[in-house]
Amino acid sequence: MMKKQQLTIALSKGRILEETLPLLEAANIIPAENIFKSRKLIFDTNHDNIKFVVIRATDVPTYVEYGGADMGIAGKDVLMEHGGKGLYEPLDLEIAKCKLMVAGLTDALPVEGRMRIATKFVNIAKQYFAQQGCQVDIVKLYGAMELAPIMGLADRIVDIVDTGNTLRANGLEPMDFIANISSRLVVGQPALKMKHKQIQPIIEMMSEAVVNRREG
Ligand code: AMP
């Protein structure tokens, strides 16, 4: 009998993880211990050839691109910012849905000349404003983007919006829509070639779980 190949799946820490595990469970891939109660980075599963690595969302596309993991789950925002090189995106998991928006202070006046944009999504912001024919300066931040317009650091922010409560609580409002976001299953180019037989049924089972969840 042919030996089963090792398969590593990179999972994003944080809010996506809780919604991800039931979809993997539907494909009969279950962690051997409680991921939330452990500080480990690598987890065994109920298959001796399948492992999870649990890492920062922004590192998932990098791991998968370079074959450090065979497949992974990451938000579309993270994938757009990464650029998607070397990654296939066979399945929208329809979890952790939100929107990427341009936002600014409520009643902010139109800006004359170059706008300054604060964001952690530097590449997405560059591309979006270029498409709009808008010249902007981009300031990279790592969190609490809402603070930037209040403190006069930026005219607008590019950020993730779900309910809009965080914006409103800080005197900001959504202004322009950039993209709908949800979590995606990604597969690296090497894995797609070498481990296709192993990966295909997993994609199919997860896809079924997504449909059931949608219709459930
Ligand atoms: P809200 O106040 O509901 O608009 O949520 C806004 C904040 O929650 C954002 O600044 C994000 O940091 C975070 N957030 C909301 N939805 C998501 C998501 N699907 N993925 C990652 N972060 C999110």
Side-chain angles (χ1 to χ4, degrees):
M1 208 178 90
M2 213 171 78
K3 195 174 168 296
K4 279 191 281 183
Q5 296 188 79
Q6 287 296 322
L7 193 74
T8 305
I9 306 176
L11 305 181
S12 298
K13 251 190 241 177
R15 78 166 64 204
I16 296 178
L17 191 55
E18 231 165 296
E19 290 185 83
T20 300
L21 293 178
L23 294 175
L24 287 161
E25 194 177 330
N28 186 33
I29 308 174
I30 299 160
E33 65 185 291
N34 187 336
I35 293 181
F36 299 101
K37 289 200 174 141
S38 171
R39 302 181 68 108
K40 279 192 196 170
L41 301 169
I42 307 175
F43 291 87
D44 290 328
T45 68
N46 56 332
H47 301 263
D48 55 12
N49 64 320
I50 303 182
K51 288 193 177 10
F52 292 145
V53 293
V54 180
I55 54 183
R56 283 181 74 123
T58 43
D59 290 333
V60 167
T62 310
Y63 265 81
V64 177
E65 175 187 354
Y66 290 102
D70 298 300
M71 52 202 280
I73 291 169
K76 184 69 180 171
D77 52 337
V78 168
L79 297 170
M80 284 167 71
E81 184 63 18
H82 167 268
K85 195 167 136 265
L87 302 179
Y88 290 97
E89 201 187 290
L91 184 60
D92 182 346
L93 298 172
E94 300 179 10
I95 57 173
K97 286 187 189 174
C98 54
K99 290 180 167 56
L100 256 175
M101 306 277 302
V102 181
L105 289 171
T106 306
D107 305 326
L109 296 170
V111 177
E112 296 195 8
R114 288 172 84 97
M115 273 201 295
R116 196 188 279 167
I117 312 294
T119 188
K120 66 176 172 185
F121 302 104
V122 169
N123 296 327
I124 295 172
K126 265 188 201 154
Q127 200 184 349
Y128 172 75
F129 286 104
Q131 274 168 2
Q132 303 294 307
C134 223
Q135 288 206 315
V136 297
D137 294 314
I138 294 178
V139 181
K140 164 108 190 184
L141 290 178
Y142 291 86
M145 264 81 79
E146 303 83 13
L147 190 59
I150 301 170
M151 306 310 285
L153 179 65
D155 302 298
R156 302 282 185 270
I157 63 173
V158 167
D159 199 5
I160 282 172
V161 181
D162 181 12
T163 60
N165 288 340
T166 307
L167 290 180
R168 271 192 296 277
N170 292 290
L172 279 74
E173 61 181 13
M175 292 175 167
D176 297 305
F177 168 86
I178 301 179
N180 279 313
I181 303 299
S182 57
S183 300
R184 311 295 163 99
L185 185 70
V186 289
V187 180
Q189 241 156 25
L192 198 73
K193 276 200 201 124
M194 310 296 294
K195 303 184 181 179
H196 186 260
K197 275 215 175 93
Q198 225 170 336
I199 287 172
Q200 197 52 38
I202 297 175
I203 296 174
E204 277 165 25
M205 282 187 276
M206 290 184 80
S207 168
E208 239 171 75
V210 170
V211 173
N212 288 339
R213 193 174 176 279
R214 190 194 308 145
E215 292 172 355

